[in-house]
Amino acid sequence: MKITKIAPAVKTAGRYNVFVDEKFSFSLDEAQLVKLSLKKGDEISDDRLNELKTESDFGKNYIRAVDLISRRLRSEKEIRDYAWRKKWSEENVEKVIERLRERGFLNDEKFAESFVRSRANLRNYSTRKMKLELRKKGIAPEIIEKVLIESEDFDEMTALKNLIAKKRSHYTDEQKLIAYLARQGFSYDKIKATLKEDNNA
């Protein structure tokens, strides 16, 4: 088999279509082309063709992962879950994860810091709910604890006071308000103390 043509892809800037024996076979980005030293006229075996197709899949998968992260930070679990839904090969998943880590695009601690900061500013999360949401994202317990301790944005008591101020008018029965706040993950003692302080203000 022979590479008979290498041409820029029409729909995807920065990618090149590679034709083998006059038929489209796979695509690569410019960096991959340079790294692999491919050129028109190269003879390739079946094994080499399979290797190149695997490399092509890796390149496409990596770009998709970077695109996801560019929209908002992702945890490693979120990238792995996406890869599983898209049926990426196990080999490519690990290569993509490794490349993302190397380039600083994938870091669970930075993700957790961003998550806590955004929820602290936009939503009145309890510590319990914050931990639960981070665990769902696949963040390790030690990272969760570290980030919550070091965060200058998140304060559970401030979140509780804000939530009480926001929801109090919705509940004529204080016991129902207490039950609601408890479902949000706040402890009964903190709820009672904060309500008492609010009532005496």
Side-chain angles (χ1 to χ4, degrees), residues 44-55:
I44 56 173
S45 64
D46 283 334
D47 288 343
R48 179 61 171 158
L49 181 58
N50 288 332
E51 289 173 4
L52 292 170
K53 286 183 176 181
T54 297
E55 183 69 16

Side-chain angles (χ1 to χ4, degrees), residues 157 160 178 182 186-196:
M157 294 309 295
L160 177 54
I178 291 171
F186 295 99
S187 73
Y188 183 76
D189 289 343
K190 287 181 180 178
I191 294 170
K192 291 292 287 182
T194 306
L195 284 173
K196 183 179 179 180

